[in-house]
Structure formats: C-alpha cells, structure tokens
Amino acid sequence: MIFCSLYSGSSGNSIFVASEKTRLLVDAGLTGKSIISALENIGEEPGELDGILVTHEHIDHVKGVGILSRKFDIPVYADAKTWVAMERCLGKIKEHNIKVIDGDFEIKDLDITSFRVPHDAVSCHGYTIAHGKKRVSVATDIGVFTEEIRRAILHSDLVLLESNHDVEMVKFGPYPYELKRRVLSELGHLSNTDAGLAALEILKEGPKKIVLGHLSGTNNIPELAYKTVENILLEEKLRMGPGMDVELSLASRIRPSSYTEV
C-alpha cells in the first residue's frame, strides 16, 4: 500500500491511500484545484480515484468533495447523518456516486473499517484501510482517545494520528474563550501530549509508522508537536527510526508529504 498526506491541518485535510488496483482519498477539505494540483505533484491522476471517504461534515474536510466528484465522476462514501449534514456544502452529487456506509465495506481490493471518534460533528469517523495483511489508519479530530479508536488502529502498520495543539498555547493564545473550551473539550482535538500517550498505547502491539497530523496553525508548532511526542516515547525506552519500534514523522499542513510504502 501507499500512503501520502496531501494536506493535514486546521486549514484543510486530504489523505491519499492506494493499492495496486485502488486509489482513494480520505477527505477533500481544500479547493478542488488545490487537491488536483497536489495529486499531480505526487504523480497521481485525479481521474483515477475510486472514491472519497468522508470523516465528517466540517468544511476543512469536505470543501473540495463536491467539485471532485462531479468533475471526475468519483463515488463519495459517508454515513447517513454526515450525508444530511454536508449535503448543502457539496452541491449536487450524481445519485450513483452517493454511497451511504453503515459499518465495514469494500472498495475493489481494499477492506475498510470505519470507527467512531468523539468530535463536535454529527457523526465523526476515522478509517482503517486494509489490503491483505497491510493496514493504514486515519485518526484525527479526536476529542479524547477512546478504547474504540485504540482497537480500530491497534494493528495498523501506519497511523495518521492527530497532534493538534499545545495546551498552553491554546490557553494563552488568541482564540476567544468559547473556542478554547471547544478545542480542549472531549469533543475537540487531541493535544500533543495526548497524542504521545495514544502512540504509547498502540505501540504496545508492535512497531509502527506514526504520522502526526491535523496540526493547528495557531496553537501548535511542528517542531513542538514532534518533540513532545518523541520525548514521551523516549521516556518509555522506545527506539526511534527505520526498522525500530517506531518511525515518527509529521504531515505538512500546506503541501504533500513524501510517499510512504506500507
């Protein structure tokens, strides 16, 4: 399998996952033009996409979904509540491209498991995408790391894990009080420290590639997110680097990350 974060952050999210036969996006939260450009930059043709999996209806996850589906005749997968919530934002989608999911499903040679994550959306999901024995998980927009999330991503080879903010930066930053409460709540976003603790949990079952994503542009700094998680892992004597206990990296908010083979 191939994994590539096209964009991951508070300003927009879109993740590319592929096998030899199937090409998917998880979310399309920037303009269609931006996502087309990102795909072309990594050598992929937008017209070859087999589907877009939607995590939830917030604009930083669905902004480009409608235009991409119409332009390239791409099926869109989301649960019933999310379809209702995002319908106005997407515009008209061809009926044969409206895919309402309920539980696990398949797209060609990929097996997909959706799992609930606590976030202030009508029905927010993460996804684990499997091809044979290889598994990739996308787990962002998490207010709190739950047992359901842990079970869903435990055996994945690669996990895109939210590391949204530094708690002190939120507390003393420019956000209004109500927005600070939202970010820090159990329906908000996962902090750097909580991302590190979540990484410890899933690394108990063996080595993984962990990509830290969905960083806030206001309440985080990439180097801070990386070092916070790295320090938590090093305190538990985990070995960092290729072939070790964990390969840790960052997904960029503004450009495609490098291809990762799983």
Side-chain angles (χ1 to χ4, degrees), residues 2-7 13-19 22-32 34-40 42 44-55 61-62 64-69 72 74-78 105 107 110 112 127 129 138:
I2 294 295
F3 169 92
C4 183
S5 171
L6 303 180
Y7 304 95
N13 300 270
S14 189
I15 310 300
F16 175 78
V17 179
S19 64
T22 312
R23 277 150 170 69
L24 301 178
L25 291 181
V26 179
D27 291 331
L30 293 92
T31 64
S34 295
I35 295 173
I36 291 167
S37 176
L39 286 166
E40 291 175 344
I42 64 171
E44 297 291 339
E45 291 294 332
E48 295 182 0
L49 289 170
D50 297 291
I52 303 172
L53 314 181
V54 176
T55 59
H61 293 262
V62 301
V65 170
I67 184 62
L68 290 172
S69 179
F72 300 107
I74 302 169
V76 178
Y77 295 79
F105 57 103
I107 301 177
L110 295 179
I112 302 165
Y127 291 101
I129 302 167
V138 176

Side-chain angles (χ1 to χ4, degrees), residues 43-262:
E44 297 291 339
E45 291 294 332
E48 295 182 0
L49 289 170
D50 297 291
I52 303 172
L53 314 181
V54 176
T55 59
H56 63 292
E57 77 276 9
H58 291 170
I59 194 67
D60 59 323
H61 293 262
V62 301
K63 185 174 184 177
V65 170
I67 184 62
L68 290 172
S69 179
R70 287 187 289 275
K71 186 176 181 67
F72 300 107
D73 198 30
I74 302 169
V76 178
Y77 295 79
D79 77 355
K81 290 181 179 179
T82 300
W83 269 110
V84 172
M86 68 179 179
E87 187 174 13
R88 183 178 299 179
C89 175
L90 297 196
K92 186 169 179 61
I93 302 292
K94 294 177 181 177
E95 187 171 350
H96 68 271
N97 284 330
I98 298 174
K99 306 294 184 180
V100 181
I101 66 172
D102 182 15
D104 300 346
F105 57 103
E106 299 176 0
I107 301 177
K108 297 173 74 172
D109 64 343
L110 295 179
D111 298 313
I112 302 165
T113 299
S114 67
F115 53 92
R116 293 292 301 271
V117 299
H119 190 56
D120 60 349
V122 295
S123 182
C124 193
H125 288 77
Y127 291 101
T128 293
I129 302 167
H131 177 60
K133 294 183 178 180
K134 299 295 185 179
R135 294 160 64 91
V136 167
S137 292
V138 176
T140 64
D141 298 81
I142 301 169
V144 62
F145 189 72
T146 64
E147 178 61 20
E148 181 178 354
I149 298 170
R150 189 191 72 84
R151 289 197 307 267
I153 70 178
L154 189 61
H155 300 293
S156 291
D157 302 280
L158 183 149
V159 178
L160 176 70
L161 180 66
E162 179 170 55
S163 189
N164 177 259
H165 61 272
D166 175 80
V167 172
E168 295 305 307
M169 288 182 70
V170 175
K171 289 180 177 178
F172 297 101
Y175 280 5
Y177 176 71
E178 286 302 320
L179 185 52
K180 290 180 181 182
R181 284 188 60 189
R182 172 188 175 268
V183 170
L184 296 174
S185 77
E186 292 191 352
L187 294 177
H189 293 279
L190 209 63
S191 71
N192 296 335
T193 298
D194 286 340
L197 296 174
L200 283 180
E201 287 295 312
I202 62 176
L203 287 167
K204 289 178 180 178
E205 294 300 316
K208 289 177 177 56
K209 297 177 180 178
I210 295 181
V211 183
L212 303 177
H214 210 296
L215 273 67
S216 169
T218 302
N219 299 307
N220 214 345
I221 301 167
E223 295 80 7
L224 177 60
Y226 186 93
K227 290 301 294 184
T228 301
V229 174
E230 180 186 49
N231 288 339
I232 290 171
L233 301 181
L234 290 175
E235 285 176 5
E236 297 298 318
K237 310 301 182 186
L238 291 172
R239 299 168 300 159
M240 315 280 291
M244 301 294 186
D245 298 316
V246 56
E247 290 184 44
L248 187 66
S249 61
L250 285 166
S252 172
R253 296 177 59 251
I254 60 174
R255 64 178 61 89
S257 305
S258 299
Y259 253 29
T260 301
E261 293 188 7
V262 180

